[in-house]
């Protein structure tokens, strides 16, 4: 009974490259959330997706960042032309029902992105 | 918007009791969560309060006062493995807003 699966666990990119982070939600969950965590800081909401729909992307930078959750396959967070400031832990979470604020989230182990 | 405030760090002794406080201001409120996060690991759910009062679950209890915008997490019979960051989170609508977390260090 797999939980939320994220890969890769660690990702190293040089400035200007693209980073692709993958997240498979828990079985039966169709709601996915991406959060970013910097050292000594809390989790910052980025985007909330349901299958084939972006519901709320208010926390995601307008440029270089995009997210998708296709009908088949994992959710992808894509960062184009990475910069050093993108270095952080990126966590994916999923929930069964609608509305993260009254239902607990299940988190993946995160992807640690390091930009050289 | 949401604003959540909790202490940055706390230290307590093994076997003791510790209370981690959280105050919040939120434009919408659908409940308050506590998560535990060990270094380098995923946050894991501890508790959820939507009504005022105390919710007890084993060694962990969580309290909520909606009128005061206040919650606390109470950990009893502390163990070394309880050393972790404790995140308070709340929100309305689609997203949970997390505090910066309280780093708890349990010492012998």
């Amino acid at each position: 009974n797999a939980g939320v699966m994220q890969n890769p666990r660690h990702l190293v990119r040089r400035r200007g490259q693209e980073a692709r982070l993958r997240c498979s939600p828990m079985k039966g969950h169709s709601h996915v959330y991406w959060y970013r965590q910097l050292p000594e800081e809390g989790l910052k909401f980025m985007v909330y997706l349901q299958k084939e729909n972006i519901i709320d992307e208010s926390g995601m930078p307008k440029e270089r960042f995009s997210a998708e959750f296709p009908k088949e396959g994992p959710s992808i967070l894509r960062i184009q032309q990475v910069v050093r400031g993108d270095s952080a832990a990126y966590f994916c979470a999923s929930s069964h029902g609608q509305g993260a604020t009254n239902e607990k989230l299940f988190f993946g182990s995160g992807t640690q992105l390091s930009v050289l | 918007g949401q604003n959540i405030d909790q202490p940055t760090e706390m230290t307590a002794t093994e076997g003791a009791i510790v209370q981690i406080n959280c105050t919040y201001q939120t434009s919408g409120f659908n409940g308050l969560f506590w998560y535990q996060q060990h270094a380098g690991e995923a946050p894991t759910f501890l508790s959820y309060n939507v009504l005022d009062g105390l919710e007890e679950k084993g060694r962990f209890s969580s309290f909520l006062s909606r009128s005061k915008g206040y919650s606390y997490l109470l950990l009893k019979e502390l163990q070394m493995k309880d050393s972790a960051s404790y995140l308070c989170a709340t929100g309305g609508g689609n997203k949970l807003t997390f505090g910066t977390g309280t780093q708890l260090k349990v010492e012998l």
Side-chain angles (χ1 to χ4, degrees), chain A residues 36 64-65 79 81-88 90 113 115:
Chain A
R36 177 163 65 176
R64 302 189 297 108
F65 285 72
I79 312 172
Q81 299 172 351
V82 296
V83 300
R84 289 218 173 102
D86 296 332
S87 296
Y90 291 83
L113 173 65
V115 180

Side-chain angles (χ1 to χ4, degrees), chain B residues 82-100:
Chain B
D82 297 330
S83 293
S85 182
Y86 292 85
L87 310 173
C88 173
T90 187
N94 294 317
K95 56 181 180 282
L96 269 183
T97 298
F98 285 83
T100 53

Side-chain angles (χ1 to χ4, degrees), chain A residues 33-106:
Chain A
Y33 312 82
W34 286 93
Y35 283 80
R36 177 163 65 176
Q37 188 174 41
L38 291 165
E40 312 302 323
E41 293 188 15
L43 291 158
K44 302 294 185 188
F45 169 81
M46 298 183 74
V47 61
Y48 163 44
L49 310 102
Q50 294 178 23
K51 285 283 187 181
E52 299 184 277
N53 283 305
I54 296 175
I55 307 302
D56 184 344
E57 56 182 349
S58 59
M60 202 152 69
K62 294 286 186 283
E63 297 179 356
R64 302 189 297 108
F65 285 72
S66 62
E68 62 177 9
F69 189 17
K71 187 176 180 181
E72 301 291 338
S75 174
I76 306 287
L77 179 67
R78 184 183 291 109
I79 312 172
Q80 297 177 302
Q81 299 172 351
V82 296
V83 300
R84 289 218 173 102
D86 296 332
S87 296
Y90 291 83
F91 286 94
C92 169
S94 71
S95 65
H96 178 263
Q98 189 170 356
T101 55
N102 60 0
E103 186 170 341
K104 69 180 180 182
L105 298 179
F106 294 83

